[in-house]
Amino acid sequence: MDMIKKLPQELLDKVLLSKDQFERIDPLFSGKLVSVFYDLRVILYLGVLLLTSGLGILVYQNIGDIGHLLSIIFLIALTTVCYWFVMTRAVPYSNNIVKHPIPYYDYIVLLASLLLITVLGYAQFQYEILDDAMGITTLITAAIFFYTAYRFDHLGVLSLGITAFASFWSISISPMKWYSGDFIEASNLHVTGIFFSIGMASIAMFLDRKNIKQHFTFSILNINALIFFVSTLTGLFSEEWSIIYYLLVVGGCAFSYYVARYKRSFLFLLYAFLAAYVATTYLIFDVLRLDDIIFWFFYSVFSCGGFVYFIVKFKNHFKR
Amino acid sequence: MATAYNLTNLKNLLVQKEVKQWMKQDYITREQFHTIEREYPCSFYHPNMFIRILLFAATLLGSFGAIGLLILAMDTGSDDSIAGACVFGGVVSIVLLEIMISQGKHYKSGVTEALLYFGVGIIIGGLIVLANPTTAVTSYVFFFLFLFAAIRYIDLIATLGTVLSFAFIVFNSLYEMGGFAQQIIPFVMMIVFGLVYFITRRARQNDSAQPWCDALLIIESTSLLIVYCGGNYFVVRELSIEMMELALEEGQDIPFAWIFYALTVIIPMIYLYFGIVQKNIVLIRVSLIVIAFAVFTFKYYFSLGHPEITLTIAGVILVSISLALLNYLKIVRHGFTRENHLPEKWAGMNIEAVVISQTLGGNQINVQDAPVKGGDFGGGGSSDSF
């Protein structure tokens, strides 16, 4: 059987492709032309990651000796060079996606803002500029990230900004923290989480309506959907007001479902179904207080079977 | 053995996926895409990634409930009867899978993967409890079940399982022979998987192997990695100490150490060279991974004890190399281009943003974690990334 190895030729013969299109596609399809776009970007990204992590540790070491001085000079010089590069080659601001002509421009923006944060952190530590207001530094960090993200159209820096802003409210958005159980450190953090995520989501929707950087909406909503569901479910599991938290989960699911349709993203559908299932199951458990294992076996078979049936039955509804 | 899937549908699905990428890349128009789609109709039920995840989770959970009920219904509670129920349940699960594929036209829908993994998993588990076989027999059971799943259902995880269980079989048979056979394990592994690599590469050119092209790609790259592990000094040394009770005194080294030092360096170079010369992206990507592993190997044994300096220098090197290459490939050279010709598979989700916030997210926490004056150095946030 001849599979698709000669697909462009086959389509050309069937007059489904024009000659021009064929000549563009065929070298790529047959491997005559190889794109190393993603490979180079991954290496570049790893480089930025290693470099900023290394420098971030280096500047706090050997305080007082020559190596320390050298690393500070190197850090500041590098930051300056990066900012100079970013500023001189910047393209004008736009509310839409900005595709910069230099393919690695994005990474220099990322590097520059990470280095600036390292410099700020070091200055704060060395000169105690904002000694008694640690939170302010985080807030400034977030502000710098947000400005950079919007000015230079950088999704990665935007997500760093959200992370920083959340950590100002002591919410940590890193999976590493989540499974070590640090997410809900303080007792009422999940309430903060709920307000934070609703606030951020509202801002995101507002900006989206104003046509400001609509391609950012997804990332902001994504992070905040996670915060919201983790917070409400934590509330549901730990508090007496379980019905209120349950209603919040349901509301969140409805909103997620709306976003899934609006942004044509099934990720939000995934969140909505998972959160609704976990919350409903917990509520049934909480109300019935059944510890009969047979019931739970039946429950899993019928709820999951029903769910699969539902999805497959209405498969056309769940298509892009 | 043939695949359980209809070949025409399979081909047409591949065509549709390929052409969709061309559309996203603006090589063809939307109308053209729809015309081609009609020309190559596919009746598979193959939903998108997130629906697949949902269906997978639901099917798996439901299956566990069902097997729980089955075990309770048998009501004897002995290990053998539970194991028997598992094997029976596993077979039922595979039969259901066949029905889903032939009647429901499911193709990697999440339901199929769940039934397959669940079925194979509990069959293996049940058989082990029932027969209590030796390690060798167990590895053969794993191998043949994975092979079956890989061929019949074109499953990529099962393919990976097949390769790894095969590697284990080779390793274990030599290991159990003892003596001289144990000494030559690295070389046998390299030769065997070198052969596997070349056979797979040849097979991938074959028309009749096309439905399995993704699976073959996995075998190819895994084989390359195993060949490298066979020659890598770190792997050989640590496995010799761990498995073969090799006792190394201070200043002693493993037998033929120089061969393994050399292989640790040479193999990545060979991969990279042939990757570039033959324009083989699989070789290039694997070479990048094993270069990193080679660096790790040498740093592990000859460390100067300053990880932060290593990190910084490695970062500078990586950034410089990639920037240099990006500039060099401004125009197409030797058939390589820096331009993007494949749309992001996760378009809309923006994986990059997620990766950045999760790996670099710790960086600004540096500010807070900065050490108190006079204390030890901190920077805890960034070390989270490792």
Side-chain angles (χ1 to χ4, degrees):
Chain A
M1 179 188 95
D2 178 36
M3 290 294 270
I4 67 166
K5 257 178 12 193
K6 298 200 171 55
L7 180 64
Q9 186 65 50
E10 192 178 316
L11 293 177
L12 183 68
D13 295 342
K14 289 187 180 176
V15 210
L16 291 167
L17 276 187
S18 71
K19 188 76 189 156
D20 280 359
Q21 288 172 330
F22 172 77
E23 269 160 14
R24 244 183 117 186
I25 292 168
D26 194 53
L28 287 166
F29 189 77
S30 61
K32 275 194 208 84
L33 184 61
V34 178
S35 166
V36 285
F37 179 82
Y38 287 109
D39 307 65
L40 289 179
R41 283 171 87 89
V42 167
I43 301 176
L44 190 51
Y45 176 70
L46 281 177
V48 171
L49 177 72
L50 295 181
L51 179 57
T52 50
S53 311
L55 275 176
I57 306 171
L58 202 58
V59 289
Y60 293 110
Q61 276 197 315
N62 310 319
I63 305 281
D65 72 19
I66 187 79
H68 174 65
L69 195 66
L70 279 177
S71 53
I72 300 297
I73 293 174
F74 178 65
L75 173 67
I76 292 175
L78 194 61
T79 314
T80 318
V81 170
C82 287
Y83 264 97
W84 170 79
F85 182 91
V86 168
M87 294 302 182
T88 49
R89 282 160 181 76
V91 291
Y93 173 81
S94 154
N95 273 339
N96 297 316
I97 297 185
V98 179
K99 200 158 163 28
H100 201 279
I102 304 173
Y104 47 84
Y105 185 78
D106 279 359
Y107 290 84
I108 308 294
V109 173
L110 180 67
L111 184 59
S113 33
L114 287 172
L115 288 175
L116 182 67
I117 299 313
T118 313
V119 173
L120 280 183
Y122 175 77
Q124 133 96 14
F125 157 68
Q126 191 74 343
Y127 305 105
E128 298 173 20
I129 302 170
L130 299 161
D131 197 31
D132 43 319
M134 278 299 199
I136 303 293
T137 335
T138 321
L139 210 54
I140 294 173
T141 307
I144 293 174
F145 280 150
F146 279 128
Y147 172 77
T148 314
Y150 278 87
R151 173 63 188 86
F152 302 107
D153 193 49
H154 201 299
L155 260 175
V157 176
L158 176 75
S159 59
L160 287 178
I162 301 172
T163 317
F165 191 48
S167 79
F168 173 73
W169 300 97
S170 23
I171 305 164
S172 52
I173 321 175
S174 149
M176 297 151 199
K177 302 261 161 93
W178 283 7
Y179 54 62
S180 60
D182 285 353
F183 179 72
I184 307 299
E185 324 163 293
S187 53
N188 278 325
L189 198 54
H190 60 270
V191 180
T192 321
I194 292 170
F195 282 110
F196 176 84
S197 50
I198 292 177
M200 286 292 278
S202 317
I203 296 172
M205 290 311 282
F206 173 75
L207 291 175
D208 192 83
R209 285 287 139 84
K210 293 270 171 205
N211 286 334
I212 297 169
K213 298 279 183 205
Q214 281 185 337
H215 57 293
F216 281 6
T217 314
F218 179 89
S219 288
I220 306 177
L221 289 180
N222 183 16
I223 297 177
N224 286 295
L226 283 171
I227 298 179
F228 181 81
F229 284 127
V230 172
S231 304
T232 44
L233 288 177
T234 312
L236 180 65
F237 295 157
S238 60
E239 299 235 357
E240 291 169 354
W241 304 90
S242 49
I243 194 70
I244 292 182
Y245 283 107
Y246 182 73
L247 290 176
L248 276 172
V249 174
V250 172
C253 292
F255 180 69
S256 263
Y257 181 78
Y258 164 76
V259 174
R261 307 293 299 174
Y262 172 57
K263 286 278 162 193
R264 295 162 154 268
S265 159
F266 287 91
L267 181 62
F268 286 93
L269 206 63
L270 181 74
Y271 292 158
F273 278 125
L274 284 182
Y277 188 79
V278 172
T280 309
T281 307
Y282 181 81
L283 201 69
I284 293 175
F285 176 78
D286 201 38
V287 171
L288 295 179
R289 291 278 167 204
L290 273 178
D291 48 6
D292 183 0
I293 188 130
I294 297 182
F295 170 79
W296 291 107
F297 281 146
F298 271 113
Y299 177 80
S300 76
V301 171
F302 284 106
S303 61
C304 293
F307 177 76
V308 171
Y309 177 80
F310 169 77
I311 295 273
V312 177
K313 176 89 182 163
F314 296 100
K315 60 185 169 203
N316 288 329
H317 184 73
F318 297 111
K319 257 187 187 158
R320 245 179 254 275
Chain B
M1 188 165 59
T3 160
Y5 297 113
N6 176 301
L7 284 179
T8 317
N9 272 334
L10 214 52
K11 176 190 171 176
N12 291 358
L13 184 70
L14 283 178
V15 172
Q16 286 188 9
K17 282 187 170 180
E18 184 66 36
V19 176
K20 194 172 202 171
Q21 296 203 327
W22 299 350
M23 177 189 71
K24 285 188 182 160
Q25 206 60 27
D26 281 336
Y27 292 152
I28 59 173
T29 62
R30 184 167 280 273
E31 292 72 42
Q32 241 178 327
F33 167 66
H34 288 304
T35 323
I36 296 173
E37 208 178 29
R38 274 193 298 276
E39 187 77 11
Y40 294 89
C42 173
S43 57
F44 282 149
Y45 175 59
H46 180 58
N48 68 73
M49 187 48 104
F50 300 114
I51 301 284
R52 276 170 75 185
I53 295 174
L54 275 175
L55 288 177
F56 180 84
T59 311
L60 206 58
L61 193 59
S63 302
F64 276 114
I67 198 74
L69 284 176
L70 186 67
I71 290 171
L72 283 181
M74 308 224 344
D75 204 24
T76 59
S78 79
D79 278 358
D80 276 359
S81 72
I82 293 177
C86 281
V87 175
F88 175 73
V91 173
V92 170
S93 168
I94 300 291
V95 171
L96 244 158
L97 168 66
E98 286 287 335
I99 295 172
M100 284 302 210
I101 290 172
S102 59
Q103 305 301 313
K105 298 257 186 251
H106 279 244
Y107 171 75
K108 300 196 177 181
S109 64
V111 177
T112 56
E113 286 101 327
L115 287 173
L116 179 63
Y117 301 156
F118 182 77
V120 170
I122 62 174
I123 287 177
I124 289 178
L127 285 181
I128 288 176
V129 172
L130 279 180
N132 200 11
T134 61
T135 316
V137 176
T138 313
S139 58
Y140 280 104
V141 173
F142 268 93
F143 175 71
F144 284 110
L145 275 173
F146 280 140
L147 188 67
F148 163 78
I151 295 181
R152 184 151 180 82
Y153 306 110
I154 320 183
D155 188 86
L156 301 182
I157 292 176
T159 310
L160 190 64
T162 314
V163 180
L164 295 182
S165 52
F166 179 61
F168 183 79
I169 288 173
V170 175
F171 179 87
N172 194 53
S173 353
L174 288 169
Y175 179 70
E176 283 181 354
M177 271 183 234
F180 179 68
Q182 288 192 352
Q183 300 284 316
I184 58 167
I185 288 178
F187 305 105
V188 176
M189 288 301 256
M190 289 170 72
I191 293 168
V192 170
F193 279 91
L195 285 174
V196 171
Y197 172 73
F198 285 111
I199 294 170
T200 320
R201 234 177 98 164
R202 168 86 30 108
R204 210 148 59 85
Q205 303 302 318
N206 198 326
D207 276 343
S208 58
Q210 287 307 301
W212 290 275
C213 58
D214 285 346
L216 291 174
L217 213 57
I218 286 192
I219 302 179
E220 238 182 83
S221 39
T222 321
S223 304
L224 285 173
L225 285 174
I226 294 176
V227 168
Y228 181 69
C229 288
N232 180 277
Y233 179 80
F234 175 81
V235 174
V236 174
R237 179 181 170 129
E238 297 307 314
L239 276 184
S240 302
I241 294 173
E242 193 70 28
M243 310 268 313
M244 291 150 208
E245 283 111 34
L246 179 76
L248 287 180
E249 303 277 318
E250 187 71 29
Q252 264 187 336
D253 214 336
I254 55 169
F256 306 114
W258 60 274
I259 296 185
F260 295 111
Y261 278 129
L263 286 174
T264 303
V265 183
I266 293 170
I267 296 176
M269 297 302 145
I270 294 177
Y271 285 180
L272 187 62
Y273 175 77
F274 283 103
I276 293 172
V277 170
Q278 301 178 348
K279 281 194 275 177
N280 186 329
I281 199 78
V282 179
L283 267 173
I284 294 180
R285 285 183 184 157
V286 172
S287 81
L288 295 179
I289 297 172
V290 299
I291 286 172
F293 193 24
V295 172
F296 164 78
T297 303
F298 280 94
K299 285 307 290 183
Y300 187 84
Y301 295 107
F302 304 101
S303 175
L304 297 172
H306 283 289
E308 67 285 347
I309 296 179
T310 314
L311 284 180
T312 312
I313 293 174
V316 170
I317 293 174
L318 286 183
V319 170
S320 320
I321 290 179
S322 49
L323 289 186
L325 281 176
L326 279 164
N327 273 326
Y328 178 72
L329 293 176
K330 238 178 218 167
I331 50 168
V332 176
R333 290 184 208 247
H334 314 294
F336 286 100
T337 169
R338 72 173 190 191
E339 303 306 323
N340 179 18
H341 288 293
L342 277 177
E344 283 168 70
K345 200 171 180 183
W346 303 77
M349 169 155 173
N350 213 319
I351 252 274
E352 207 174 270
V354 176
V355 171
I356 288 178
S357 75
Q358 294 306 346
T359 51
L360 289 170
N363 266 50
Q364 80 279 347
I365 297 177
N366 253 350
V367 178
Q368 286 184 325
D369 288 357
V372 189
K373 269 213 157 171
D376 214 343
F377 74 89
S382 52
S383 56
D384 265 6
S385 328
F386 295 95

